[in-house]
Amino acid sequence: MHPVVGVPAPTAARAREVAELLRSRLDDPTRASAELPRRLASAHDASPYLFEPQAVVRAASAAEVGALMAGAREAGVPLTLRGGGTSLAGQAGGAGVLVDVRTDWRHAEVLDDGRRIRLQPGLTIRQANARLARYRRRLGPDPASEAACTVGGMVANNSSGMTCGTTDNAYRTMESLRFVLPSGTVVDSAARDADDRLRADEPELHAGLLRLRDRVRSAPGSRATIERLFAMKNTMGYGLNSLLDHSSPVEMLAHLMIGSEGTLGFVAEAVFRTVEIHEHAATGLLILPGLTDATDALPALLAAGARTAELLDAAALRVSQRDPGASPALRGLTVAGHAALLVEFAEDSAERLAATLADARGVLDRLPAVTGTELTRDPRERARLWHLRKGLYTAVAGARPPGTTALLEDVAVPLPRLTGTCDGLISLFDRHGYSDAVIFGHARDGNLHFMLTQSFDTAAEIDRYARFTDDMVDLVLAEGGTLKAEHGTGRAMAPFVRRQYGDELYDVMRELKRLCDPSGLLNPGVLLNDDPTVHLRQLKAVPMVDPELDACVECGYCEPVCPTADVTTTPRQRIVLQRQIALATAAGDEERRRELTTDYEYAAVDSCAADSLCVTACPVGIDTGAAMKRLRAERHGPLAQRTARAAARHWKGAVAGVRVGLSAAHAVPTPVTRAATGVIRGLGASELVPLWSDDMPRAGAPRPTPRSAPDAQAVFFAACVGSLFAPEDGSAGDSTAAFLRLCELAGVPLVVPATAGLCCGTPWQSKGYPAGHREMAERTLAALWTASDEGRLPIVCDASSCTHGLTQLTAALAEEDQARYRDLRFVDSVTFTAEHLLPALPEPRRLGSLALHPTCSTVHLGGIDDLRTVARAVANTVTVPDSWGCCAFAGDRGLLHPEVTAGATAAQAAEINQRGYDAYASCNRTCEMGMSRATGQPYRHVLQVLVEAVEPLA
């Protein structure tokens, strides 16, 4: 394994010294850490580079960032600002102080009916767009990483994307910024006297910007180079077009901040002009005989109104053919030198779209397309086509050999040079042995992406990468292009900035950095670097740790959906910490390994909600939650496994015992119960016994008595969680009673089997007891097989997590037993209600408003739309908070580790409590408990709300 080389790792003593100094600059000193696990977990980003920071700090205000800059300068260490960590070029890591400007920076304010928006840097692009969606607006930049990249990263890298081109990127749509300079000066470019303030507070910087402006404008060669490069997408070096586009120093500086990759200052707030969402679209994959045909078609297609044109080369087409969603025509094509354009036309009305398509039909018909030029407006077909394009990264990255890195690079060239550049890249792939490389990109902008699978574990492999990079730089610059179009310069291209711009403009950039950051505090070595081999240093080692996790590319897409992200660790961090443990073990560093392993037990394994939302966001399909459950299983000894299996065999008695225990505990004064549970947890039972709290529910009602009906339409499997925990106050009883009553009102007969002692199996699966899980699976599936007439009737459950658990029961069986039960169909009660009961129920008495909490299980079941349908049947306004996420109650996780649920629900609870609602609803009892605890509001199952609305009045 090739060791990480370059900057030496800090000693523990030095890390503690730096962290202690920085704590004095924070309102809350606990937000600075020198702990090795925290530093390493935060160090990894989506790039192939890795630095071990000396301290990690969570900043909460612009004033704190300024104070941290001063503290880092005093300590003599550099400072790097960190958002989503999705950058690919090495600009989000450093060996000094790593400052988290994501966690406490997620405020948004929509202005002018969505035409503008004020944003803090910690929101993701998707979260920002969620605030704008109701106005049919969005941010101009549309990067592929929008689910995870933050507004701060969008600003720092001047993000663009598939459709925004050079007109709607971060630079062009920014209206104003509030930013902190390395000196601590805070600049608000929206203030009327902003330029005067800058002159007074930073006279040398103000004067220096005027000198640089005049220097560039007076040099025809410099002006021509800037105009040529910034006519394309270009994130190489600083945005020197600011010196041509703006005249006042404050406006120049604000626009120079965009694309500066955290090297000039910290952007604490930005106001953007937004763009309209074109809701009516038609999409088609046009397969052409070759690259020349594809690039030749571009001008006419763009002139005809195509808003998007994505290029796929022959290698990309061959990868796409393996996608299950590929059309028969694509799968049957013998790809030789073919290329394809994924084109989309979009307008704000169906009529305008029809007119645009009619005008474009002549252009389309003249194309030498080998599989036709039909376009589809069907949302599912359009999604399938876009999945082919976006799935290229998944296919290549997921199939790479273990221990290698997936590199995604991007360049841009003038449109007439696109074909030659593609041909040149393909030749370079062949010359340097990158047989699995693919080319795709935003053809309308001359912007190409290419993916390589690269190992960095030998000197020979690093040399191969270096030789390829040198040849690629020669190619792109010879074609008049830019070496970075969207992804930022970072460290990957920093050695080549001088070559692209020339000595004069490189010197302008150097002077700009000196004026803003004279001590070189911020992100040194990023964007500008005179070391010709910096792009070959600090390369990550990627040891193999787990076949289910080794495909991780450390992209960070999982982090925004992880409920423990702000409390302990994220899925990416859980994986990289395993890699760090493996590296420490291989190096024989027992002290380092022990420190990481000890911390991992709680920070990664025990605190994980295991909701598996991470797999819904992961581009290579990794389920980190499942991996944590396997680790839980591995640490349980034979005795624990036998005990868990015995509990499954005697589940009826176990449930009865818990119900009796809850009733007894409520009869004892709360302080006594809290003290008793605290003592038991202190003796090592923290994963079994919750700490008692005032809001602990009483025992629920027993599960319903069995019943049968000759004309039954479904089997009802009442979740045992409802008998464990009583619901919030409500006249409809619990979700079981509500569902049974709704079926009665709708005239839908049911079979209710004897369920005492049966369970969905989730408690055993989530805690890592496979023997108990299989025991429960065998008993429950056998009973439901009989009750459902061997799968003829659907099986309905009234708790979404239990429905999801039932769908996974078959996998717990021995392989030879799984086939028998594959015909069983499990349906959540909300979906059954939406599809079968609502049409037959009386007209509900409508509430004014309802706050709705979808569960992670509802996401996995694909039932979000059904949940909204039922909620909208009873309320005029249904609100799912923009900050919605998994509540992390996760069965008993919220009882055993309440701090996790508190962190996961903080943002959405604050959003919900900004106003009052007539009702609060979810679809799973423990999630209702978590949201009630977080908000102080009575969350109930949505079917309880529905039955109250349709129950005939007395």
Side-chain angles (χ1 to χ4, degrees):
M1 183 60 61
H2 183 71
V4 176
V5 297
V7 180
T11 65
R14 175 57 175 163
R16 287 193 296 270
E17 178 185 335
V18 172
E20 190 59 36
L21 173 63
L22 297 177
R23 288 189 185 103
S24 66
R25 311 302 171 103
L26 299 171
D27 293 338
D28 178 2
T30 64
R31 288 193 269 106
S33 176
E35 295 176 2
L36 178 66
R38 302 289 75 71
R39 291 189 285 116
L40 291 178
S42 302
H44 288 251
D45 69 351
S47 80
Y49 303 98
L50 181 64
F51 293 81
E52 184 175 322
Q54 298 182 37
V56 291
V57 186
R58 214 180 79 221
S61 68
E64 279 194 343
V65 173
L68 289 169
M69 289 177 179
R73 190 181 300 109
E74 180 181 336
V77 295
L79 184 146
T80 298
L81 302 158
R82 176 66 174 266
T86 59
S87 295
L88 297 167
Q91 57 266 64
V97 179
L98 198 62
V99 181
D100 171 6
V101 288
R102 173 174 62 172
T103 303
D104 293 300
W105 300 83
R106 292 170 179 155
H107 177 71
E109 181 185 3
V110 177
L111 308 169
D112 298 337
D113 290 327
R115 285 185 287 276
R116 297 186 303 137
I117 187 169
R118 187 188 314 277
L119 296 168
Q120 288 188 328
L123 283 165
T124 67
I125 308 304
R126 178 175 291 179
Q127 289 165 344
N129 283 336
R131 273 75 170 171
L132 292 166
R134 61 183 63 96
Y135 302 96
R136 297 178 61 193
R137 311 283 296 184
R138 63 171 177 83
L139 292 172
D142 57 335
S145 57
E146 51 91 26
C149 69
T150 60
V151 171
M154 179 185 82
V155 171
N157 291 315
N158 189 21
S159 295
S160 49
M162 293 187 185
T163 64
C164 77
T166 57
T167 57
D168 291 331
N169 60 17
Y171 178 90
R172 295 294 178 189
T173 58
M174 184 271 286
E175 183 174 281
S176 67
L177 297 181
R178 188 166 69 92
F179 53 93
V180 183
L181 294 171
S183 63
T185 297
V186 178
V187 179
D188 185 352
S189 71
R192 290 185 178 181
D193 60 346
D195 199 63
D196 292 336
R197 290 185 187 179
L198 181 64
R199 183 189 297 111
D201 294 338
E202 301 281 347
E204 183 181 352
L205 173 58
H206 189 277
L209 287 167
L210 290 174
R211 286 196 307 273
L212 292 178
R213 179 198 66 184
D214 295 343
R215 175 178 171 180
V216 167
R217 291 183 179 187
S218 64
S222 294
R223 179 188 287 270
T225 298
I226 292 171
E227 289 174 344
R228 174 179 63 82
L229 288 173
F230 286 95
M232 300 177 283
K233 286 183 176 181
N234 178 29
T235 61
M236 190 74 167
Y238 289 118
L240 296 185
N241 53 329
S242 305
L243 303 179
L244 301 182
D245 296 340
H246 304 279
S247 294
S248 72
V250 76
E251 282 299 323
M252 287 188 287
L253 185 56
H255 285 82
L256 283 163
M257 286 289 161
I258 297 178
S260 65
E261 302 179 25
T263 64
L264 301 181
F266 164 60
V267 175
E269 185 178 272
V271 176
F272 290 99
R273 295 179 294 275
T274 63
V275 300
E276 185 179 2
I277 293 175
H278 297 103
E279 297 180 331
H280 301 270
T283 310
L285 183 67
L286 312 178
I287 302 176
L288 299 154
L291 276 169
T292 301
D293 301 286
T295 54
D296 286 350
L298 283 170
L301 285 169
L302 297 176
R307 295 185 183 271
T308 305
E310 293 291 296
L311 177 70
L312 290 78
D313 77 341
L317 280 175
R318 283 190 283 269
V319 171
S320 296
Q321 286 180 311
R322 302 196 294 266
D323 191 293
S327 67
L330 175 57
R331 286 199 302 270
L333 181 69
T334 301
V335 177
H338 295 83
L341 292 172
L342 180 61
V343 298
E344 186 163 278
F345 295 81
E347 300 292 347
D348 57 5
S349 70
E351 295 74 20
R352 292 189 64 177
L353 177 61
T356 297
L357 294 178
D359 292 342
R361 179 37 59 189
V363 172
L364 292 166
D365 287 343
R366 288 192 292 273
L367 294 177
V370 299
T371 57
T373 59
E374 291 304 311
L375 306 178
T376 179
R377 302 190 205 184
D378 182 86
R380 288 171 296 183
E381 286 298 302
R382 290 181 54 242
R384 182 183 59 78
L385 289 172
W386 279 111
H387 178 74
L388 291 177
R389 158 63 178 84
K390 295 178 179 179
L392 288 171
Y393 182 86
T394 300
V396 176
R400 74 190 194 283
T404 61
T405 298
L407 298 177
L408 179 60
E409 299 291 348
D410 81 308
V411 299
V413 295
L415 204 55
R417 315 298 288 271
L418 191 60
T419 303
T421 305
C422 288
D423 288 337
L425 285 171
I426 292 170
S427 295
L428 291 183
F429 299 153
D430 291 339
R431 182 187 310 168
H432 294 286
Y434 292 105
S435 58
D436 57 353
V438 300
I439 296 175
F440 52 93
H442 317 316
R444 54 165 285 173
D445 302 309
N447 179 194
L448 296 174
H449 297 298
F450 55 91
M451 279 194 66
L452 310 172
T453 294
Q454 176 67 54
S455 170
F456 292 121
D457 61 356
T458 66
E461 279 294 298
I462 294 174
D463 182 62
R464 177 172 73 123
Y465 174 64
R467 286 184 284 105
F468 168 81
T469 301
D470 288 341
D471 288 348
M472 183 271 293
V473 169
D474 291 343
L475 168 68
V476 173
L477 295 184
E479 296 287 358
T482 175
L483 298 169
K484 280 295 180 182
E486 297 185 310
H487 297 170
T489 310
R491 291 179 169 85
M493 285 294 125
F496 307 102
V497 174
R498 184 191 293 271
R499 279 194 61 188
Q500 178 167 310
Y501 282 91
D503 291 342
E504 165 61 13
L505 289 177
Y506 187 75
D507 191 60
V508 168
M509 294 184 190
R510 277 290 184 196
E511 177 63 8
L512 173 64
K513 171 68 171 174
R514 186 195 68 77
L515 287 167
C516 291
D517 185 17
S519 63
L521 172 75
L522 297 184
N523 234 5
V526 166
L527 197 144
L528 301 178
N529 201 309
D530 293 326
D531 179 354
T533 62
V534 68
H535 61 305
L536 307 176
R537 300 181 184 277
Q538 297 296 134
L539 295 167
K540 284 178 189 170
V542 187
M544 290 176 281
V545 294
D546 182 328
E548 300 300 319
L549 304 178
D550 287 337
C552 176
V553 293
E554 301 182 16
C555 64
Y557 285 21
C558 55
E559 294 192 338
V561 302
C562 177
T564 61
D566 295 344
V567 185
T568 54
T569 55
T570 68
R572 168 166 64 180
Q573 291 172 340
R574 289 178 168 96
I575 294 171
V576 302
L577 285 171
Q578 284 203 33
R579 289 174 173 172
Q580 287 292 335
I581 291 169
L583 289 171
T585 302
D589 192 336
E590 179 59 22
E591 181 180 354
R592 188 178 178 93
R593 185 203 66 78
R594 188 186 309 111
E595 185 174 354
L596 292 171
T597 303
T598 301
D599 178 83
Y600 199 82
E601 289 297 305
Y602 168 72
V605 181
D606 290 341
S607 66
C608 179
D611 62 6
S612 293
L613 278 183
C614 47
V615 74
T616 68
C618 178
V620 293
I622 295 174
D623 187 345
T624 312
M628 294 303 103
K629 287 186 279 192
R630 287 198 305 274
L631 291 179
R632 291 171 188 171
E634 288 172 7
R635 70 186 184 191
H636 295 319
L639 177 60
Q641 294 288 357
R642 287 195 297 271
T643 302
R645 186 172 185 181
R649 288 175 178 161
H650 304 287
W651 189 236
K652 177 179 179 181
V655 170
V658 172
R659 295 179 69 244
V660 170
L662 281 171
S663 299
H666 275 283
V668 177
T670 296
V672 175
T673 310
R674 184 182 294 117
T677 56
V679 169
I680 296 172
R681 286 169 60 86
L683 294 174
S686 59
E687 288 301 303
L688 295 173
V689 177
L691 182 65
W692 190 264
S693 61
D694 293 334
D695 58 0
M696 191 73 74
R698 295 180 179 273
R703 293 166 97 171
T705 56
R707 68 178 73 170
S708 61
D711 54 349
Q713 296 182 27
V715 175
F716 179 48
F717 183 82
C720 53
V721 69
S723 65
L724 289 172
F725 301 119
E728 298 287 336
D729 292 339
S731 59
D734 61 11
S735 59
T736 295
F739 180 71
L740 291 172
R741 179 57 177 156
L742 289 170
C743 288
E744 183 181 353
L745 290 171
V748 174
L750 300 170
V751 169
V752 179
T755 55
L758 303 181
C759 178
C760 67
T762 299
W764 291 268
Q765 182 198 44
S766 65
K767 288 180 176 295
Y769 293 108
H773 192 208
R774 178 180 294 188
E775 173 73 26
M776 186 55 74
E778 291 170 348
R779 296 173 57 244
T780 298
L781 290 173
L784 293 178
W785 179 252
T786 300
S788 66
D789 192 14
E790 299 184 347
R792 182 179 64 83
L793 297 176
I795 300 158
V796 183
C797 184
D798 62 323
S800 60
S801 66
C802 300
T803 309
H804 188 221
L806 288 168
T807 67
Q808 298 176 310
L809 266 187
T810 304
L813 299 175
E815 189 171 345
E816 60 270 19
D817 296 330
Q818 292 181 12
R820 178 184 181 189
Y821 298 116
R822 284 190 181 130
D823 290 336
L824 291 176
R825 292 171 292 147
F826 298 103
V827 182
D828 191 67
S829 59
V830 172
T831 293
F832 190 84
T833 298
E835 293 178 351
H836 301 286
L837 303 187
L838 274 182
L841 288 171
E843 184 68 23
R845 296 178 293 279
R846 301 180 67 80
L847 301 168
S849 61
L850 182 145
L852 185 65
H853 177 74
T855 70
C856 50
S857 295
T858 309
V859 174
H860 288 298
L861 292 167
I864 296 292
D865 289 343
D866 295 326
L867 181 62
R868 289 181 183 270
T869 295
V870 173
R872 288 170 179 156
V874 297
N876 295 326
T877 301
V878 174
T879 299
V880 175
D882 292 329
S883 54
W884 173 83
C886 171
C887 69
F889 214 83
D892 62 1
R893 288 291 104 181
L895 297 174
L896 298 172
H897 301 291
E899 71 282 0
V900 173
T901 292
T905 57
Q908 53 189 315
E911 186 178 342
I912 285 294
N913 284 332
Q914 288 177 357
R915 55 159 291 186
Y917 295 86
D918 295 325
Y920 301 81
S922 187
C923 53
N924 193 75
R925 181 67 195 105
T926 53
C927 299
E928 294 152 24
M929 290 164 58
M931 290 305 297
S932 295
R933 176 178 287 183
T935 63
Q937 307 296 340
Y939 274 78
R940 297 184 291 149
H941 198 291
V942 70
L943 297 189
Q944 294 173 257
V945 181
L946 175 62
V947 78
E948 290 177 354
V950 298
E951 190 71 69
L953 296 173

